[in-house]
Amino acid sequence: QIEINKKIINYLSKLSYRPDPIVDELIKETKNLGQISEMQIAPEQGQFLELLTKLISAKKCLEIGRFTGLSALNLAKALPEEGRVITIDNSEDLLPIAKKYWRMAKVEKKIESIIGQGVNVLNELISKKIFFDLIFIDADKINYDIYYELSLKLLKSNGLMIIDNVLWDGDVADENNFDKITKSMRLLNLKIKKDNRVDFTLLPLADGISVVRKK
């Protein structure tokens, strides 16, 4: 495998994303929020989410971690008219921004926003026997292992789980880094590799993405 250096990253950024005026405007507004804008997925990640959603002909998607709504927008764009995205976040502070762009993209009817703690909402969905074709995880990293286990219960057979930030700025590859979040991400990556319940691949896209298929 080639080394992923800055030159390659710049090339991928230019060639792996097809510009979309609404997405670009949302990214621009999110950048104006300051340092927290780093929480937003890269546009090429969003495009990758759209592609996967279309490839599996998903009709029902779940997102854990909404932020300003870009990934929910990407998922909704890929769904048929009757498709639905449930997006979970513990705060509604940035929901107005998300809803503005969902309306602009004419996908707001496909998206249901739930405000609550991720673990609690996931357990409620499990109790209601609501299942999904695709689940995207991009929330508080320390709970990723819990989200992973609960998401496996919510996924249909052959469903996909997409997990963001699995390379954690490259820190997972530093064996001398024992930061709490870095360690938890490293352990989750190892767990997925050994998990016979799933097929998976780990990709160096943006901050790293795991694509997990439930058997």
Side-chain angles (χ1 to χ4, degrees):
Q1 179 170 312
I2 64 168
E3 180 184 354
I4 308 297
N5 55 37
K6 197 164 188 178
K7 186 176 180 181
I8 294 296
I9 291 171
N10 290 336
Y11 181 83
L12 288 171
S13 296
K14 292 176 183 177
L15 271 293
S16 64
Y17 167 65
R18 184 177 292 162
D20 177 294
I22 296 174
V23 169
D24 294 343
E25 188 62 31
L26 173 51
I27 291 171
K28 182 179 178 181
E29 182 164 345
T30 302
K31 282 183 178 178
N32 290 335
L33 296 173
Q35 190 172 354
I36 64 167
S37 65
E38 296 176 358
M39 294 169 59
Q40 187 176 65
I41 63 168
E44 56 267 30
Q45 284 179 290
Q47 187 170 275
F48 184 62
L49 277 178
E50 282 189 48
L51 180 60
L52 290 178
T53 304
K54 290 177 180 178
L55 282 172
I56 66 170
S57 300
K59 292 185 178 178
K60 192 168 249 184
C61 298
L62 175 66
E63 174 189 62
I64 308 167
R66 182 204 67 245
F67 193 45
T68 57
L70 178 54
S71 43
L73 172 61
N74 290 125
L75 292 170
K77 283 171 60 182
L79 292 174
E81 198 59 40
E82 71 276 11
R84 291 294 177 269
V85 178
I86 293 178
T87 179
I88 305 167
D89 201 279
N90 63 3
S91 170
E92 56 184 323
D93 291 347
L94 298 172
L95 186 56
I97 294 177
K99 285 188 171 181
K100 178 172 74 171
Y101 289 94
W102 296 345
R103 285 193 297 270
M104 288 172 63
K106 296 181 171 56
V107 297
E108 73 275 16
K109 292 181 180 178
K110 297 181 184 179
I111 303 174
E112 176 187 353
S113 177
I114 297 178
I115 306 300
Q117 295 300 321
V119 173
N120 296 337
V121 177
L122 292 178
N123 278 313
E124 288 175 15
L125 293 172
I126 290 169
S127 68
K128 293 177 181 177
K129 293 182 167 43
I130 299 174
F131 302 104
F132 299 89
D133 304 300
L134 185 147
I135 298 175
F136 179 53
I137 302 175
D138 185 17
D140 51 309
K141 314 309 169 191
I142 209 67
N143 281 320
Y144 262 31
D145 186 79
I146 300 173
Y147 295 149
Y148 175 76
E149 289 296 335
L150 294 177
S151 293
L152 279 178
K153 294 181 180 181
L154 289 164
L155 267 183
K156 297 176 183 176
S157 181
N158 290 318
L160 291 183
M161 189 191 316
I162 316 300
I163 309 171
D164 194 19
N165 302 115
V166 293
L167 295 181
W168 199 233
D169 201 30
D171 289 348
V172 292
D174 181 359
E175 295 179 357
N176 296 313
N177 189 322
F178 298 103
D179 169 77
K180 190 174 182 180
I181 294 179
T182 303
K183 185 178 178 181
S184 67
M185 297 301 293
R186 191 184 291 129
L187 289 172
L188 177 62
N189 290 337
L190 182 61
K191 175 179 181 173
I192 295 172
K193 179 182 179 181
K194 295 179 177 180
D195 193 345
N196 291 325
R197 297 171 295 177
V198 303
D199 298 315
F200 85 105
T201 187
L202 194 160
L203 301 173
L205 177 61
D207 196 30
I209 282 183
S210 277
V211 181
V212 180
R213 170 190 167 267
K214 180 180 176 180
K215 293 182 179 178

Short mmCIF file of all heavy atoms in Angstrom, two decimals, residues 41-97:
data_model
loop_
_atom_site.label_atom_id
_atom_site.label_comp_id
_atom_site.label_asym_id
_atom_site.label_seq_id
_atom_site.Cartn_x
_atom_site.Cartn_y
_atom_site.Cartn_z
N ILE A 41 -17.86 15.61 9.39
CA ILE A 41 -17.22 14.67 8.48
C ILE A 41 -16.69 15.41 7.26
O ILE A 41 -17.17 16.49 6.91
CB ILE A 41 -18.19 13.55 8.03
CG1 ILE A 41 -19.37 14.14 7.24
CG2 ILE A 41 -18.66 12.73 9.21
CD1 ILE A 41 -20.21 13.10 6.53
N ALA A 42 -15.70 14.83 6.60
CA ALA A 42 -15.18 15.40 5.37
C ALA A 42 -16.20 15.16 4.25
O ALA A 42 -16.93 14.17 4.27
CB ALA A 42 -13.84 14.74 5.01
N PRO A 43 -16.26 16.05 3.26
CA PRO A 43 -17.24 15.87 2.18
C PRO A 43 -17.09 14.55 1.43
O PRO A 43 -18.08 13.96 1.00
CB PRO A 43 -17.01 17.08 1.27
CG PRO A 43 -15.66 17.60 1.64
CD PRO A 43 -15.47 17.28 3.09
N GLU A 44 -15.84 14.07 1.29
CA GLU A 44 -15.64 12.80 0.60
C GLU A 44 -16.18 11.63 1.43
O GLU A 44 -16.60 10.61 0.88
CB GLU A 44 -14.18 12.58 0.24
CG GLU A 44 -13.19 12.65 1.37
CD GLU A 44 -12.60 14.03 1.57
OE1 GLU A 44 -13.28 15.04 1.27
OE2 GLU A 44 -11.44 14.11 2.04
N GLN A 45 -16.18 11.78 2.76
CA GLN A 45 -16.81 10.77 3.61
C GLN A 45 -18.32 10.74 3.38
O GLN A 45 -18.93 9.67 3.32
CB GLN A 45 -16.54 11.07 5.09
CG GLN A 45 -15.16 10.73 5.56
CD GLN A 45 -14.99 11.06 7.03
OE1 GLN A 45 -14.96 12.24 7.41
NE2 GLN A 45 -14.91 10.06 7.86
N GLY A 46 -18.91 11.92 3.31
CA GLY A 46 -20.34 12.00 3.06
C GLY A 46 -20.72 11.37 1.73
O GLY A 46 -21.72 10.64 1.64
N GLN A 47 -19.91 11.63 0.73
CA GLN A 47 -20.16 11.04 -0.59
C GLN A 47 -20.02 9.52 -0.53
O GLN A 47 -20.78 8.78 -1.17
CB GLN A 47 -19.18 11.63 -1.60
CG GLN A 47 -19.44 11.20 -3.03
CD GLN A 47 -18.60 12.01 -4.00
OE1 GLN A 47 -18.95 13.11 -4.40
NE2 GLN A 47 -17.45 11.46 -4.37
N PHE A 48 -19.06 9.04 0.27
CA PHE A 48 -18.88 7.60 0.45
C PHE A 48 -20.10 6.99 1.14
O PHE A 48 -20.57 5.91 0.76
CB PHE A 48 -17.62 7.36 1.29
CG PHE A 48 -17.25 5.91 1.49
CD1 PHE A 48 -16.95 5.11 0.39
CD2 PHE A 48 -17.20 5.35 2.75
CE1 PHE A 48 -16.60 3.77 0.57
CE2 PHE A 48 -16.85 4.02 2.94
CZ PHE A 48 -16.56 3.23 1.84
N LEU A 49 -20.64 7.69 2.14
CA LEU A 49 -21.86 7.23 2.80
C LEU A 49 -23.02 7.11 1.81
O LEU A 49 -23.79 6.15 1.84
CB LEU A 49 -22.25 8.20 3.92
CG LEU A 49 -21.59 8.05 5.28
CD1 LEU A 49 -22.10 9.14 6.22
CD2 LEU A 49 -21.84 6.68 5.87
N GLU A 50 -23.16 8.12 0.97
CA GLU A 50 -24.22 8.10 -0.05
C GLU A 50 -24.07 6.88 -0.96
O GLU A 50 -25.04 6.18 -1.25
CB GLU A 50 -24.16 9.37 -0.91
CG GLU A 50 -24.76 10.59 -0.26
CD GLU A 50 -24.89 11.75 -1.24
OE1 GLU A 50 -25.40 11.53 -2.36
OE2 GLU A 50 -24.47 12.87 -0.90
N LEU A 51 -22.86 6.64 -1.40
CA LEU A 51 -22.61 5.53 -2.31
C LEU A 51 -22.95 4.19 -1.66
O LEU A 51 -23.63 3.34 -2.26
CB LEU A 51 -21.14 5.54 -2.76
CG LEU A 51 -20.70 4.43 -3.72
CD1 LEU A 51 -21.51 4.49 -5.01
CD2 LEU A 51 -19.22 4.53 -4.02
N LEU A 52 -22.50 3.98 -0.42
CA LEU A 52 -22.80 2.73 0.28
C LEU A 52 -24.30 2.56 0.48
O LEU A 52 -24.83 1.45 0.33
CB LEU A 52 -22.09 2.70 1.63
CG LEU A 52 -20.57 2.55 1.62
CD1 LEU A 52 -20.04 2.58 3.04
CD2 LEU A 52 -20.16 1.24 0.94
N THR A 53 -24.98 3.64 0.82
CA THR A 53 -26.43 3.58 1.03
C THR A 53 -27.15 3.15 -0.24
O THR A 53 -28.08 2.34 -0.21
CB THR A 53 -26.94 4.95 1.50
OG1 THR A 53 -26.23 5.35 2.67
CG2 THR A 53 -28.43 4.90 1.83
N LYS A 54 -26.69 3.68 -1.36
CA LYS A 54 -27.29 3.30 -2.64
C LYS A 54 -26.94 1.86 -3.01
O LYS A 54 -27.79 1.11 -3.51
CB LYS A 54 -26.80 4.24 -3.75
CG LYS A 54 -27.36 5.65 -3.64
CD LYS A 54 -26.78 6.54 -4.73
CE LYS A 54 -27.32 7.96 -4.63
NZ LYS A 54 -26.72 8.86 -5.65
N LEU A 55 -25.71 1.46 -2.75
CA LEU A 55 -25.25 0.12 -3.14
C LEU A 55 -26.06 -0.99 -2.46
O LEU A 55 -26.31 -2.03 -3.06
CB LEU A 55 -23.77 -0.05 -2.82
CG LEU A 55 -22.78 0.60 -3.78
CD1 LEU A 55 -21.36 0.51 -3.23
CD2 LEU A 55 -22.84 -0.07 -5.15
N ILE A 56 -26.45 -0.75 -1.21
CA ILE A 56 -27.19 -1.79 -0.50
C ILE A 56 -28.70 -1.56 -0.58
O ILE A 56 -29.48 -2.27 0.05
CB ILE A 56 -26.76 -1.91 0.97
CG1 ILE A 56 -27.11 -0.65 1.76
CG2 ILE A 56 -25.27 -2.22 1.08
CD1 ILE A 56 -26.92 -0.79 3.27
N SER A 57 -29.11 -0.54 -1.36
CA SER A 57 -30.54 -0.21 -1.51
C SER A 57 -31.21 -0.04 -0.15
O SER A 57 -32.30 -0.56 0.11
CB SER A 57 -31.27 -1.30 -2.31
OG SER A 57 -30.71 -1.43 -3.60
N ALA A 58 -30.54 0.70 0.73
CA ALA A 58 -31.06 0.92 2.08
C ALA A 58 -32.35 1.72 2.04
O ALA A 58 -32.54 2.59 1.19
CB ALA A 58 -30.02 1.65 2.92
N LYS A 59 -33.20 1.42 2.98
CA LYS A 59 -34.45 2.17 3.15
C LYS A 59 -34.56 2.80 4.54
O LYS A 59 -35.30 3.76 4.72
CB LYS A 59 -35.65 1.26 2.90
CG LYS A 59 -35.78 0.83 1.44
CD LYS A 59 -37.04 0.02 1.21
CE LYS A 59 -37.17 -0.37 -0.26
NZ LYS A 59 -38.39 -1.20 -0.51
N LYS A 60 -33.83 2.25 5.48
CA LYS A 60 -33.88 2.79 6.84
C LYS A 60 -32.46 2.88 7.40
O LYS A 60 -31.75 1.89 7.47
CB LYS A 60 -34.75 1.91 7.73
CG LYS A 60 -35.08 2.55 9.08
CD LYS A 60 -36.17 1.78 9.80
CE LYS A 60 -37.45 2.58 9.85
NZ LYS A 60 -38.50 1.92 10.63
N CYS A 61 -32.08 4.12 7.80
CA CYS A 61 -30.74 4.36 8.31
C CYS A 61 -30.81 4.98 9.70
O CYS A 61 -31.77 5.68 10.03
CB CYS A 61 -29.97 5.31 7.39
SG CYS A 61 -29.71 4.70 5.72
N LEU A 62 -29.77 4.74 10.48
CA LEU A 62 -29.64 5.31 11.82
C LEU A 62 -28.30 6.02 11.90
O LEU A 62 -27.28 5.49 11.46
CB LEU A 62 -29.71 4.21 12.88
CG LEU A 62 -29.48 4.63 14.33
CD1 LEU A 62 -30.59 5.56 14.81
CD2 LEU A 62 -29.37 3.41 15.24
N GLU A 63 -28.33 7.21 12.49
CA GLU A 63 -27.10 7.96 12.70
C GLU A 63 -26.96 8.27 14.18
O GLU A 63 -27.89 8.78 14.81
CB GLU A 63 -27.15 9.27 11.90
CG GLU A 63 -25.97 10.17 12.17
CD GLU A 63 -26.14 11.54 11.54
OE1 GLU A 63 -27.09 12.26 11.91
OE2 GLU A 63 -25.31 11.88 10.68
N ILE A 64 -25.79 7.98 14.73
CA ILE A 64 -25.49 8.30 16.13
C ILE A 64 -24.49 9.44 16.14
O ILE A 64 -23.31 9.25 15.85
CB ILE A 64 -24.93 7.06 16.87
CG1 ILE A 64 -25.86 5.86 16.69
CG2 ILE A 64 -24.74 7.37 18.36
CD1 ILE A 64 -25.25 4.54 17.11
N GLY A 65 -24.97 10.65 16.41
CA GLY A 65 -24.13 11.84 16.36
C GLY A 65 -24.48 12.71 15.17
O GLY A 65 -23.99 12.48 14.07
N ARG A 66 -25.31 13.73 15.38
CA ARG A 66 -25.83 14.53 14.26
C ARG A 66 -24.95 15.73 13.90
O ARG A 66 -24.77 16.06 12.74
CB ARG A 66 -27.24 15.05 14.63
CG ARG A 66 -27.92 15.86 13.55
CD ARG A 66 -28.98 16.79 14.15
NE ARG A 66 -28.39 17.83 14.97
CZ ARG A 66 -28.57 17.96 16.27
NH1 ARG A 66 -29.33 17.12 16.93
NH2 ARG A 66 -27.98 18.94 16.94
N PHE A 67 -24.47 16.45 14.90
CA PHE A 67 -23.72 17.71 14.75
C PHE A 67 -24.53 18.70 13.89
O PHE A 67 -25.68 18.98 14.21
CB PHE A 67 -22.32 17.43 14.19
CG PHE A 67 -21.38 18.60 14.28
CD1 PHE A 67 -21.29 19.33 15.45
CD2 PHE A 67 -20.58 18.96 13.21
CE1 PHE A 67 -20.43 20.42 15.55
CE2 PHE A 67 -19.71 20.04 13.30
CZ PHE A 67 -19.63 20.77 14.47
N THR A 68 -23.98 19.20 12.78
CA THR A 68 -24.73 20.16 11.96
C THR A 68 -25.49 19.49 10.81
O THR A 68 -25.98 20.18 9.91
CB THR A 68 -23.81 21.26 11.40
OG1 THR A 68 -22.76 20.66 10.64
CG2 THR A 68 -23.22 22.12 12.51
N GLY A 69 -25.55 18.18 10.83
CA GLY A 69 -26.49 17.49 9.94
C GLY A 69 -25.98 17.04 8.58
O GLY A 69 -26.77 16.59 7.75
N LEU A 70 -24.66 17.12 8.35
CA LEU A 70 -24.16 16.76 7.02
C LEU A 70 -24.33 15.28 6.70
O LEU A 70 -24.82 14.93 5.62
CB LEU A 70 -22.68 17.16 6.89
CG LEU A 70 -22.02 16.79 5.55
CD1 LEU A 70 -22.80 17.35 4.37
CD2 LEU A 70 -20.57 17.27 5.52
N SER A 71 -23.94 14.41 7.62
CA SER A 71 -24.03 12.98 7.33
C SER A 71 -25.48 12.52 7.18
O SER A 71 -25.80 11.68 6.33
CB SER A 71 -23.30 12.15 8.38
OG SER A 71 -23.56 12.61 9.68
N ALA A 72 -26.39 13.09 7.98
CA ALA A 72 -27.81 12.77 7.83
C ALA A 72 -28.31 13.22 6.46
O ALA A 72 -29.10 12.53 5.80
CB ALA A 72 -28.63 13.43 8.93
N LEU A 73 -27.83 14.37 6.02
CA LEU A 73 -28.17 14.88 4.69
C LEU A 73 -27.69 13.93 3.61
O LEU A 73 -28.44 13.59 2.68
CB LEU A 73 -27.54 16.26 4.50
CG LEU A 73 -27.61 16.90 3.11
CD1 LEU A 73 -29.05 17.12 2.69
CD2 LEU A 73 -26.85 18.22 3.09
N ASN A 74 -26.45 13.47 3.73
CA ASN A 74 -25.90 12.53 2.75
C ASN A 74 -26.70 11.23 2.70
O ASN A 74 -27.02 10.72 1.62
CB ASN A 74 -24.44 12.20 3.08
CG ASN A 74 -23.49 13.35 2.85
OD1 ASN A 74 -22.75 13.75 3.74
ND2 ASN A 74 -23.49 13.91 1.65
N LEU A 75 -27.03 10.71 3.87
CA LEU A 75 -27.81 9.47 3.92
C LEU A 75 -29.18 9.66 3.29
O LEU A 75 -29.63 8.84 2.48
CB LEU A 75 -27.95 9.01 5.38
CG LEU A 75 -26.68 8.54 6.09
CD1 LEU A 75 -26.95 8.37 7.58
CD2 LEU A 75 -26.16 7.24 5.49
N ALA A 76 -29.85 10.75 3.65
CA ALA A 76 -31.20 11.00 3.15
C ALA A 76 -31.22 11.17 1.64
O ALA A 76 -32.15 10.73 0.96
CB ALA A 76 -31.79 12.22 3.84
N LYS A 77 -30.19 11.82 1.10
CA LYS A 77 -30.13 12.03 -0.35
C LYS A 77 -30.10 10.71 -1.11
O LYS A 77 -30.59 10.61 -2.23
CB LYS A 77 -28.87 12.85 -0.71
CG LYS A 77 -28.99 14.34 -0.42
CD LYS A 77 -27.65 15.03 -0.60
CE LYS A 77 -27.12 14.88 -2.02
NZ LYS A 77 -25.79 15.50 -2.18
N ALA A 78 -29.50 9.69 -0.49
CA ALA A 78 -29.33 8.40 -1.16
C ALA A 78 -30.54 7.49 -1.02
O ALA A 78 -30.62 6.46 -1.70
CB ALA A 78 -28.09 7.69 -0.61
N LEU A 79 -31.48 7.86 -0.15
CA LEU A 79 -32.62 6.99 0.10
C LEU A 79 -33.76 7.23 -0.89
O LEU A 79 -33.91 8.34 -1.42
CB LEU A 79 -33.16 7.25 1.52
CG LEU A 79 -32.26 6.82 2.69
CD1 LEU A 79 -32.88 7.28 4.00
CD2 LEU A 79 -32.06 5.32 2.69
N PRO A 80 -34.58 6.21 -1.11
CA PRO A 80 -35.78 6.42 -1.93
C PRO A 80 -36.75 7.34 -1.20
O PRO A 80 -36.55 7.65 -0.01
CB PRO A 80 -36.35 5.00 -2.08
CG PRO A 80 -35.83 4.25 -0.89
CD PRO A 80 -34.47 4.82 -0.62
N GLU A 81 -37.80 7.77 -1.87
CA GLU A 81 -38.74 8.73 -1.30
C GLU A 81 -39.34 8.25 0.02
O GLU A 81 -39.58 9.03 0.93
CB GLU A 81 -39.86 9.02 -2.31
CG GLU A 81 -40.64 10.29 -2.01
CD GLU A 81 -39.74 11.54 -1.98
OE1 GLU A 81 -38.83 11.65 -2.83
OE2 GLU A 81 -39.97 12.38 -1.10
N GLU A 82 -39.57 6.93 0.12
CA GLU A 82 -40.16 6.39 1.35
C GLU A 82 -39.11 6.06 2.41
O GLU A 82 -39.44 5.61 3.51
CB GLU A 82 -40.98 5.13 1.03
CG GLU A 82 -40.16 3.90 0.66
CD GLU A 82 -39.74 3.86 -0.81
OE1 GLU A 82 -39.90 4.88 -1.51
OE2 GLU A 82 -39.26 2.80 -1.25
N GLY A 83 -37.82 6.29 2.09
CA GLY A 83 -36.75 5.98 3.03
C GLY A 83 -36.73 6.92 4.22
O GLY A 83 -37.25 8.04 4.16
N ARG A 84 -36.12 6.47 5.31
CA ARG A 84 -36.08 7.27 6.53
C ARG A 84 -34.70 7.18 7.20
O ARG A 84 -34.08 6.13 7.23
CB ARG A 84 -37.14 6.79 7.53
CG ARG A 84 -38.58 7.09 7.10
CD ARG A 84 -38.87 8.58 7.06
NE ARG A 84 -40.22 8.88 6.58
CZ ARG A 84 -40.54 9.10 5.31
NH1 ARG A 84 -39.59 9.04 4.37
NH2 ARG A 84 -41.78 9.38 4.96
N VAL A 85 -34.28 8.31 7.77
CA VAL A 85 -33.08 8.40 8.60
C VAL A 85 -33.51 8.83 9.99
O VAL A 85 -34.21 9.84 10.14
CB VAL A 85 -32.07 9.43 8.06
CG1 VAL A 85 -30.85 9.51 9.00
CG2 VAL A 85 -31.64 9.12 6.65
N ILE A 86 -33.11 8.08 11.00
CA ILE A 86 -33.27 8.51 12.39
C ILE A 86 -31.89 8.97 12.86
O ILE A 86 -30.92 8.23 12.76
CB ILE A 86 -33.79 7.39 13.29
CG1 ILE A 86 -35.23 7.02 12.92
CG2 ILE A 86 -33.74 7.82 14.76
CD1 ILE A 86 -35.81 5.87 13.73
N THR A 87 -31.82 10.21 13.31
CA THR A 87 -30.53 10.74 13.76
C THR A 87 -30.62 11.11 15.24
O THR A 87 -31.60 11.70 15.68
CB THR A 87 -30.10 11.96 12.91
OG1 THR A 87 -28.85 12.46 13.40
CG2 THR A 87 -31.14 13.07 12.91
N ILE A 88 -29.60 10.71 16.00
CA ILE A 88 -29.59 10.89 17.45
C ILE A 88 -28.49 11.87 17.85
O ILE A 88 -27.36 11.76 17.37
CB ILE A 88 -29.32 9.54 18.17
CG1 ILE A 88 -30.32 8.48 17.73
CG2 ILE A 88 -29.35 9.72 19.69
CD1 ILE A 88 -29.92 7.07 18.17
N ASP A 89 -28.83 12.80 18.73
CA ASP A 89 -27.82 13.69 19.30
C ASP A 89 -28.29 14.10 20.69
O ASP A 89 -29.50 14.19 20.94
CB ASP A 89 -27.62 14.93 18.42
CG ASP A 89 -26.27 15.58 18.67
OD1 ASP A 89 -26.14 16.34 19.65
OD2 ASP A 89 -25.34 15.34 17.89
N ASN A 90 -27.35 14.38 21.59
CA ASN A 90 -27.74 14.74 22.95
C ASN A 90 -28.00 16.23 23.13
O ASN A 90 -28.28 16.71 24.23
CB ASN A 90 -26.68 14.28 23.97
CG ASN A 90 -25.33 14.96 23.77
OD1 ASN A 90 -25.18 15.83 22.91
ND2 ASN A 90 -24.34 14.56 24.54
N SER A 91 -27.90 17.00 22.04
CA SER A 91 -28.14 18.44 22.10
C SER A 91 -28.90 18.91 20.86
O SER A 91 -28.70 18.39 19.77
CB SER A 91 -26.80 19.19 22.19
OG SER A 91 -26.99 20.58 22.02
N GLU A 92 -29.76 19.90 21.05
CA GLU A 92 -30.47 20.46 19.90
C GLU A 92 -29.93 21.83 19.51
O GLU A 92 -30.50 22.54 18.69
CB GLU A 92 -31.98 20.55 20.18
CG GLU A 92 -32.39 21.31 21.41
CD GLU A 92 -33.89 21.24 21.63
OE1 GLU A 92 -34.63 21.27 20.63
OE2 GLU A 92 -34.31 21.14 22.79
N ASP A 93 -28.78 22.21 20.09
CA ASP A 93 -28.20 23.53 19.83
C ASP A 93 -27.96 23.79 18.35
O ASP A 93 -28.21 24.89 17.86
CB ASP A 93 -26.89 23.70 20.60
CG ASP A 93 -27.09 23.79 22.10
OD1 ASP A 93 -28.25 23.96 22.52
OD2 ASP A 93 -26.10 23.66 22.85
N LEU A 94 -27.46 22.79 17.64
CA LEU A 94 -27.12 22.98 16.23
C LEU A 94 -28.18 22.43 15.28
O LEU A 94 -28.00 22.46 14.06
CB LEU A 94 -25.76 22.32 15.93
CG LEU A 94 -24.58 22.90 16.72
CD1 LEU A 94 -23.33 22.07 16.51
CD2 LEU A 94 -24.32 24.35 16.32
N LEU A 95 -29.28 21.97 15.84
CA LEU A 95 -30.34 21.40 15.02
C LEU A 95 -30.93 22.39 14.01
O LEU A 95 -31.23 22.00 12.87
CB LEU A 95 -31.45 20.82 15.91
CG LEU A 95 -32.57 20.06 15.22
CD1 LEU A 95 -32.03 18.91 14.37
CD2 LEU A 95 -33.58 19.53 16.25
N PRO A 96 -31.08 23.69 14.38
CA PRO A 96 -31.60 24.64 13.38
C PRO A 96 -30.74 24.72 12.11
O PRO A 96 -31.28 24.85 11.01
CB PRO A 96 -31.61 25.97 14.14
CG PRO A 96 -31.77 25.58 15.57
CD PRO A 96 -30.97 24.30 15.71
N ILE A 97 -29.42 24.64 12.28
CA ILE A 97 -28.54 24.65 11.10
C ILE A 97 -28.81 23.41 10.25
O ILE A 97 -28.97 23.50 9.03
CB ILE A 97 -27.06 24.71 11.51
CG1 ILE A 97 -26.74 26.02 12.21
CG2 ILE A 97 -26.15 24.51 10.29
CD1 ILE A 97 -25.31 26.12 12.73
#
